[in-house]
Amino acid sequence: MRTYIGGHQAVSDVDFVELALGTPLELWLGVEGESEMERVARLDAARDILADNPGLPDDAIRVVAEAVEDFAPELFSVVPLAQSVARRRSARKGAAA
């Protein structure tokens, strides 16, 4: 089965992220062994993209959150921070006995 996003085929997880964001990951993460000149040019291009699309960081966070929620739902298991008053009182009574 093939998956297409906006007419582009997504073959890997990286493809899905790049198509969702509209930019290659290397633009934001860099590549191993890049020169200082390449790094400066990459960061300059990233700044231009962010200036043109100020919502991109929010989009990126949303994409990551959705991916984590879909593929690692146990990370979203919420443990209640507050217990009911009755549970706290019964827990105290049990501890004292």
Side-chain angles (χ1 to χ4, degrees), residues 29-93:
L29 303 177
V31 292
E32 191 174 328
E34 73 181 353
S35 70
E36 184 63 25
M37 194 170 168
E38 291 168 328
R39 180 179 177 276
V40 168
R42 177 178 57 78
L43 293 176
D44 189 45
R47 275 190 290 278
D48 288 345
I49 290 171
L50 288 173
D52 292 342
N53 186 1
L56 185 62
D58 293 334
D59 293 343
I61 291 168
R62 181 185 47 76
V63 167
V64 170
E66 288 173 359
V68 170
E69 191 174 35
D70 290 344
F71 297 104
E74 66 277 2
L75 296 177
F76 280 90
S77 297
V78 179
V79 177
L81 296 176
Q83 295 178 348
S84 70
V85 174
R87 283 178 96 185
R88 285 187 290 203
R89 286 183 183 151
S90 65
R92 277 193 231 139
K93 288 179 185 176

